[in-house]
Amino acid sequence: MNSERFEALIDAIIAIIITIIVLDLPVPETVTWSSMFALKMNFFAYFVSFLLCYNFWNNHQKFFGYIEKIDHRVMWLGAGSMFVLSFIPYLTSLITSDFDAFFPLFLYGGIFIVIDLFFLESCYILKNIDKSNEELENRVKIITKKIIVIILIIVVGMVIGYVAYPPAILYSCFGCLIASWIMSYLGIY
């Protein structure tokens, strides 16, 4: 089946998720520099969540440029990704209510890992559907390496978060997004 409608659905869901995240930002009683600065971690969490959604969309757009057809397995993995991604507004709200609580931050980092694993599985399914597409095969190899790096960064953040400093998980998620962009900029993907 053609991937255009599937891509349009992903676009719509991500737009809704980003809208929900921004609507959950708190409004200070008085709008001053100090009251806005007091919300710096809320804005940082929103920023990381926004970047996660954008990065997810960007990766899908790039990858789907190499394929022509999808099958039901890819659609279900995409649905699973969207389901998991739809928890981002809720978890962003949870982590902004207490930045020192390990469990919500652990779940937030877990979302990064699960989404990457769903995306990687989709890549392998699509590669197996179109075995003659050498460019797709090369991209999947690159994506696999990139996702391994991302998962390792998040796991390190989770260990640091559990042992000493829970916000390290949010910072590791942000670091993954930066690492992903650097790899893209360097042409790695």
Side-chain angles (χ1 to χ4, degrees), residues 86-97:
S86 70
F87 281 100
I88 285 293
Y90 178 70
L91 289 174
T92 303
S93 179
L94 279 180
I95 64 176
T96 58
S97 66

Side-chain angles (χ1 to χ4, degrees), residues 7-61:
E7 291 176 68
L9 176 65
I10 288 174
D11 293 350
I13 291 172
I14 290 175
I16 292 166
I17 291 170
I18 289 172
T19 302
I20 293 169
I21 297 168
V22 76
L23 291 175
D24 202 33
L25 282 172
V27 177
E29 289 183 30
T30 60
V31 182
T32 63
W33 286 111
S34 61
S35 65
M36 294 299 284
F37 187 74
L39 298 173
K40 66 185 173 294
M41 290 305 288
N42 296 70
F43 285 106
F44 180 65
Y46 164 73
F47 183 64
V48 173
S49 296
F50 175 87
L51 292 179
L52 168 63
C53 292
Y54 177 79
N55 198 51
F56 179 85
W57 175 83
N58 188 41
N59 286 337
H60 268 265
Q61 291 299 104

Side-chain angles (χ1 to χ4, degrees), residues 109-178:
I111 280 183
F112 275 68
I113 292 171
V114 170
I115 288 171
D116 280 338
L117 292 175
F118 279 167
F119 182 61
L120 187 60
E121 180 63 20
S122 295
C123 292
Y124 277 98
I125 289 170
L126 291 166
K127 179 185 80 147
N128 289 331
I129 290 171
D130 189 3
K131 293 181 181 184
S132 63
N133 189 337
E134 290 181 22
E135 182 64 28
L136 181 61
E137 187 171 330
N138 291 333
R139 291 290 164 193
V140 171
K141 287 177 186 175
I142 293 167
I143 290 168
T144 301
K145 292 175 187 174
K146 182 177 174 179
I147 288 177
I148 289 170
V149 169
I150 288 169
I151 290 173
L152 288 174
I153 292 170
I154 292 174
V155 168
V156 167
M158 288 176 165
V159 170
I160 294 169
Y162 180 74
V163 172
Y165 183 63
I169 299 170
L170 183 61
Y171 293 123
S172 71
C173 292
F174 180 64
C176 287
L177 293 167
I178 298 301

